[in-house]
Amino acid sequence: MHHTPFSEYRPRNVLCFLGSVDGFQDLLQAAKDAIKDFATDFEIDMEFSQDAPDVRMSKSFAVFWDQVHEDAWHQHDVEAVISHGCVVYVVGPHMEAAEAPAVSLTALRLVERLLAAGATAAKGESAGVAHGAARWRQLAQEAEGAEPGAATRACRLAFAKRPLTDGYYLSSVGFHLVGLPDVFVPSNSSLDELALSAMIDSVADEMAADGVEAVVVRYGAELKAINEYEEDDFKYNPFGGVYFFTGVN
């Protein structure tokens, strides 16, 4: 059961794919084929796609690389970004909370398809996260044919980023892509950011399984609107954030 959102904004998946020099038309065609085959509500953004390298990509991926999973990316993934020759953007539909897990699962399948078709790197723009090709494939395989909870978890790990900090809290960004509020844990709960990330992931698992309201009551947390990303449509979570006052045991 999903709680009433704090705004009428509906999130969407925005995917960025890099391809090789002279690979633009093949990558475009692969995206078109995937959209025709199974991602019918997605579309290619031709305004920002280009048959040329984008000099901003190395800096963008450097910020976006996932820092939680031990093998999220490797040096050859970094080199693929540096040497890319073209860029293709694919945009998903606006989503209600209840449909977000299924749509994000389609987005993950689309990433897997385009990597198999020759994309050399991929990142999710909606929350600002990137993985290496092998990690993207692993997450897609974990989601494929899994029961709903496991599939949603794989999509969350694929498209959400954590931990981010404002000095007071460490938090997630992007849980709206699977229909959940983001999670905010006090920075002083632990000096270990990976431990705090594990807390955030544990809470997300519980929210997906038991419902947001049940988790809020269980931990004496507070569900409230998030204001930090109101000017950033990609990162803004209309489902709010769950704020903890102590660590999560």
Side-chain angles (χ1 to χ4, degrees):
M1 182 178 295
H2 299 275
H3 67 279
T4 302
F6 290 97
S7 83
E8 295 181 356
Y9 171 72
R10 295 183 299 157
R12 67 195 312 194
N13 287 282
V14 179
L15 307 173
C16 173
F17 299 95
L18 305 186
S20 60
V21 176
D22 298 326
F24 183 64
Q25 292 302 325
D26 288 342
L27 192 55
L28 268 185
Q29 189 59 52
K32 291 176 182 178
D33 291 344
I35 289 170
K36 180 180 179 181
D37 289 348
F38 62 86
T40 54
D41 291 331
F42 286 67
E43 60 185 5
I44 298 169
D45 186 338
M46 290 303 301
E47 180 180 357
F48 293 101
S49 299
Q50 61 183 52
D51 187 5
D54 185 332
V55 296
R56 301 169 298 176
M57 285 298 162
S58 290
K59 182 177 180 179
S60 176
F61 271 82
V63 174
F64 281 20
W65 289 124
D66 176 63
Q67 300 298 320
V68 176
H69 190 269
E70 184 177 4
D71 293 316
W73 50 278
H74 299 279
Q75 183 58 35
H76 60 81
D77 296 303
V78 176
E79 293 169 359
V81 173
I82 294 171
S83 63
H84 79 280
C86 62
V87 185
V88 170
Y89 285 91
V90 179
V91 181
H94 290 286
M95 305 177 291
E96 302 289 350
E99 62 192 0
V103 176
S104 287
L105 179 57
T106 298
L108 186 53
R109 290 181 61 200
L110 199 152
V111 172
E112 182 183 38
R113 170 72 77 88
L114 265 63
L115 287 171
T120 56
K123 61 187 171 91
E125 299 284 355
S126 304
V129 65
H131 312 279
R135 176 60 173 162
W136 278 118
R137 293 188 184 99
Q138 179 186 24
L139 290 166
Q141 289 165 8
E142 289 178 5
E144 186 68 28
E147 55 88 18
T152 297
R153 187 176 196 277
C155 291
R156 193 183 76 237
L157 295 177
F159 295 119
K161 190 173 180 67
R162 73 269 185 259
L164 301 176
T165 183
D166 61 4
Y168 300 98
Y169 287 94
L170 265 76
S171 69
S172 63
V173 61
F175 283 3
H176 56 307
L177 299 172
V178 291
L180 294 174
D182 280 299
V183 176
F184 293 75
V185 178
S187 297
N188 61 8
S189 300
S190 172
L191 296 177
D192 185 344
E193 290 193 359
L194 290 180
L196 290 169
S197 296
M199 291 181 192
I200 290 169
D201 287 337
S202 176
V203 171
D205 289 337
E206 291 185 52
M207 289 193 299
D210 303 331
V212 175
E213 290 79 3
V215 172
V216 168
V217 172
R218 181 178 302 154
Y219 292 106
E222 182 180 358
L223 173 64
K224 59 183 181 180
I226 297 175
N227 299 317
E228 286 89 336
Y229 298 109
E230 283 186 337
E231 302 303 320
D232 190 334
D233 284 352
F234 291 167
K235 294 182 175 64
Y236 176 67
N237 190 332
F239 314 122
V242 175
Y243 289 76
F244 287 80
F245 304 107
T246 61
V248 183
N249 296 320

